[in-house]
Amino acid sequence: MSDQDQITNEIDEHIVPDRPDYEAELIAIIKSDASIEELRERLDDYHENDIADILDDLSVEERKKLLNVLGVERASEVFAYIDEDVGKYIDEISSDKVADILESMDADEALDILEELEDDKRHEIEELLDEDSKRDIDMIDSYDDDMIGSRMTTNFVAIPKNLSIRQAMKSLIAQAADNDNITTIYVIENDGTFYGAIDLKDLIIAREYDDLEDLISTSYPYVYAEESIDETLEELKDYSEDSIPVLDNDKKILGVITSQDIIEVVDEEMGEDYARLAGLIAEEDLKEPITKSMKKRLPWLLTLLVLGIIVSSVTGLFEHVMAELTVIVAFQTLILDMSGNVGTQSLAVTIRVLMDEELSVSKKLGFILKEMRVGFFNGLILGSIAFAGVGIYIYAFRGYPIDFAFVTSACIGGALLIAMVISSLVGTLVPMFFHKIKVDPAVASGPLITTVNDLVAVVTYYGLAWLLLLNVLNMTG
């Protein structure tokens, strides 16, 4: 084998094979003239998420045909994966059929769909739901969006603690028909309070003569429904469990938080934090109306307009410095940009640390000092580069004397160093302050720090120029 063939083979070995185009396959199946029985059999080979992904590529008649083929149970599983435009699909189905689909879904997933509907349509469908479904949906809906109870599902299995192994298995089998979340079985006291949990594997391999008590983990983690998501999120992430029970204040099980729920909550929290760092009051999507997007952006923009006027007013205090040292105005953007970037970096690191850890006073102080040291040494390096680069530029391209050029660049480099250290401090202290007063640090930190750092950079830059160049060295230019 030649060297070229060997190289070609090595490259081919690292090429990842293409995945099957399930969407194209599904669309072809649905558009075919096969019988309902044949279509149902062929669709059984595909995941519900893939079926949900092709709904928008089908006509109304084809979607009705698909729904008829899937049946209520399978259709409910597909609807659980629809992220957008669920209202459009609901409008194509009779209210009776929608109610049947929602009754087959977990209560939390059914509630997600109901919340996407117009009030009249939602009320109409809710009136058609059976009492059990309506009760579970109303219970989850009773919790505020920031409470963990609003994210739980009522899909779980619970058994009394005083059963035998055989009785426990029979109870599990009986409940599994309606609840498929059976990997962890919850155990309750006679009065209904939470007692512990059993791993399904342990129950399966247990002997009939074993004591059920020996299988129960009485220290199994749990959360209360009225706890905030922010407070419980880190605790939930720390446990590698498929589900964790959600209790009321009397320690009775209301529902469970599954690992999938935790992933969704984390994803939403990250999206919200990202939006807030950008100065938005909530996330936006591609199909959101312009007026709605404007409403999300305007509040912070108006606040920043006021803060920007303050920064501009402060800048105006240094008009005499700009008039006598016109050359330094050209480098204002350099100081502002670097200061803003450093503050944003410190902000991102601080918010991440605050999310992951409970910091003692000594740890907070150590973290603040560390960020300031990072800012100092980065500022020292970048300030030195600015000193050399700007000095050469002012001397070679602007025609100023070499002493004036490098004294001015030293002022710029020094201002850059000071601004970066202070910006690191601000980027750390501001989110810590918000965290201390129980306000989400991502809500206001990003836009506020940008403006504060602009103010810091302006005062540092022109203040140093006024002090060093005008008052100490009596330079103009």
Side-chain angles (χ1 to χ4, degrees):
M1 179 184 295
S2 68
D3 291 342
Q4 183 62 41
D5 290 339
Q6 184 176 353
I7 292 173
T8 303
N9 288 338
E10 289 177 356
I11 293 175
D12 290 342
E13 288 176 2
H14 290 86
I15 296 177
V16 178
D18 292 333
R19 296 174 183 269
D21 189 349
Y22 293 131
E23 292 188 14
E25 294 175 11
L26 282 165
I27 291 173
I29 291 172
I30 295 165
K31 291 180 180 291
S32 70
D33 296 326
S35 66
I36 290 180
E37 290 75 16
E38 185 180 351
L39 288 173
R40 184 174 293 126
E41 183 178 347
R42 294 173 68 182
L43 290 174
D44 282 342
D45 293 333
Y46 293 88
H47 194 278
E48 291 78 11
N49 184 56
D50 295 320
I51 298 176
D53 284 343
I54 64 158
L55 291 180
D56 203 42
D57 298 320
L58 304 177
S59 67
V60 175
E61 292 304 317
E62 287 168 341
R63 283 197 289 267
K64 290 181 178 179
K65 173 185 175 182
L66 173 62
L67 183 63
N68 185 43
V69 171
L70 292 175
V72 170
E73 188 68 34
R74 188 88 192 277
S76 68
E77 296 173 359
V78 171
F79 267 77
Y81 285 98
I82 300 176
D83 295 325
E84 297 178 355
D85 293 334
V86 67
K88 178 178 72 175
Y89 307 130
I90 293 295
D91 289 338
E92 299 170 0
I93 311 171
S94 69
S95 296
D96 288 337
K97 179 75 75 172
V98 174
D100 291 339
I101 290 173
L102 296 184
E103 287 171 359
S104 298
M105 299 175 70
D106 289 346
D108 57 322
E109 295 171 345
L111 177 60
D112 289 341
I113 290 179
L114 288 171
E115 288 178 337
E116 295 295 319
L117 306 181
E118 298 292 338
D119 291 342
D120 292 343
K121 184 71 172 180
R122 173 174 177 170
H123 180 71
E124 177 186 351
I125 293 173
E126 286 179 331
E127 289 298 313
L128 298 171
L129 296 173
D130 61 47
E131 289 304 315
D132 288 342
S133 298
K134 192 182 300 184
R135 183 186 64 250
D136 289 345
I137 290 172
D138 288 343
M139 178 188 65
I140 297 174
D141 195 30
S142 67
Y143 294 99
D144 294 338
D145 289 341
D146 61 346
M147 292 180 180
I148 200 67
S150 67
R151 303 306 182 94
M152 66 183 174
T153 177
T154 54
N155 182 351
F156 67 96
V157 171
I159 61 174
K161 62 175 288 192
N162 56 358
L163 299 183
S164 65
I165 296 294
R166 179 185 290 272
Q167 290 171 329
M169 281 299 300
K170 285 185 177 180
S171 180
L172 169 62
I173 293 170
Q175 295 181 64
D178 297 318
N179 302 286
D180 56 7
N181 185 23
I182 63 173
T183 308
T184 301
I185 304 149
Y186 297 103
V187 184
I188 55 176
E189 302 269 14
N190 294 332
D191 62 357
T193 57
F194 175 66
Y195 181 70
I198 299 174
D199 190 294
L200 175 62
K201 181 189 70 174
D202 294 337
L203 183 60
I204 291 174
I205 65 177
R207 304 300 182 188
E208 187 175 345
Y209 52 78
D210 288 336
D211 191 345
L212 186 69
E213 178 71 29
D214 295 337
L215 307 181
I216 303 172
S217 171
T218 56
S219 61
Y220 197 84
Y222 59 85
V223 294
Y224 288 104
E226 294 184 356
E227 288 186 272
S228 74
I229 292 174
D230 288 340
E231 291 175 355
T232 59
L233 190 56
E234 288 306 315
E235 182 178 353
L236 293 174
K237 285 163 56 181
D238 287 340
Y239 293 102
S240 301
E241 304 294 346
D242 62 279
S243 64
I244 294 178
V246 181
L247 313 182
D248 64 14
N249 292 342
D250 296 323
K251 291 198 70 174
K252 295 182 179 178
I253 303 182
L254 299 174
V256 298
I257 293 291
T258 66
S259 56
Q260 180 62 33
D261 293 327
I262 295 172
I263 291 172
E264 291 175 359
V265 170
V266 170
D267 181 64
E268 289 179 16
E269 288 293 304
M270 290 178 65
E272 289 175 4
D273 284 349
Y274 183 82
R276 288 164 176 170
L277 281 171
L280 303 177
I281 60 174
E283 289 183 87
E284 296 182 13
D285 57 55
L286 292 174
K287 299 180 180 179
E288 189 168 78
I290 292 176
T291 54
K292 194 172 182 180
S293 295
M294 289 174 60
K295 288 178 181 178
K296 289 180 178 179
R297 303 185 190 193
L298 270 177
W300 259 116
L301 291 176
L302 290 171
T303 303
L304 293 177
L305 175 62
V306 174
L307 294 175
I309 292 173
I310 295 174
V311 173
S312 298
S313 300
V314 173
T315 305
L317 298 176
F318 295 98
E319 286 181 351
H320 66 290
V321 178
M322 300 179 199
E324 297 187 44
L325 293 167
T326 55
V327 69
I328 70 169
V329 178
F331 302 99
Q332 173 181 308
T333 304
L334 169 66
I335 307 296
L336 292 177
D337 287 349
M338 292 305 301
S339 174
N341 290 335
V342 169
T344 301
Q345 288 177 343
S346 293
L347 167 63
V349 173
T350 304
I351 289 178
R352 188 76 183 105
V353 169
L354 292 175
M355 286 176 60
D356 285 348
E357 301 180 33
E358 285 295 328
L359 299 179
S360 63
V361 175
S362 60
K363 284 185 177 180
K364 287 181 180 178
L365 182 60
F367 180 71
I368 292 170
L369 293 175
K370 177 208 167 189
E371 285 300 305
M372 289 183 68
R373 286 199 302 271
V374 171
F376 173 78
F377 287 112
N378 282 339
L380 189 62
I381 294 171
L382 295 174
S384 299
I385 295 173
F387 166 68
V390 172
I392 292 172
Y393 170 78
I394 294 175
Y395 170 67
F397 296 97
R398 298 297 295 271
Y400 285 91
I402 190 168
D403 58 339
F404 177 88
F406 281 94
V407 168
T408 302
S409 68
C411 179
I412 294 171
L416 183 60
L417 169 61
I418 296 170
M420 289 180 67
V421 173
I422 297 176
S423 295
S424 298
L425 179 62
V426 172
T428 306
L429 289 180
V430 169
M432 281 188 173
F433 168 74
F434 281 120
H435 186 261
K436 180 68 175 178
I437 62 175
K438 306 300 183 184
V439 174
D440 188 344
V443 173
S445 295
L448 181 59
I449 283 178
T450 299
T451 307
V452 170
N453 283 342
D454 283 349
L455 187 61
V456 167
V458 165
V459 173
T460 301
Y461 184 43
Y462 288 115
L464 190 60
W466 171 78
L467 179 64
L468 178 63
L469 300 183
L470 291 184
N471 287 283
V472 175
L473 300 177
N474 295 316
M475 297 177 63
T476 58

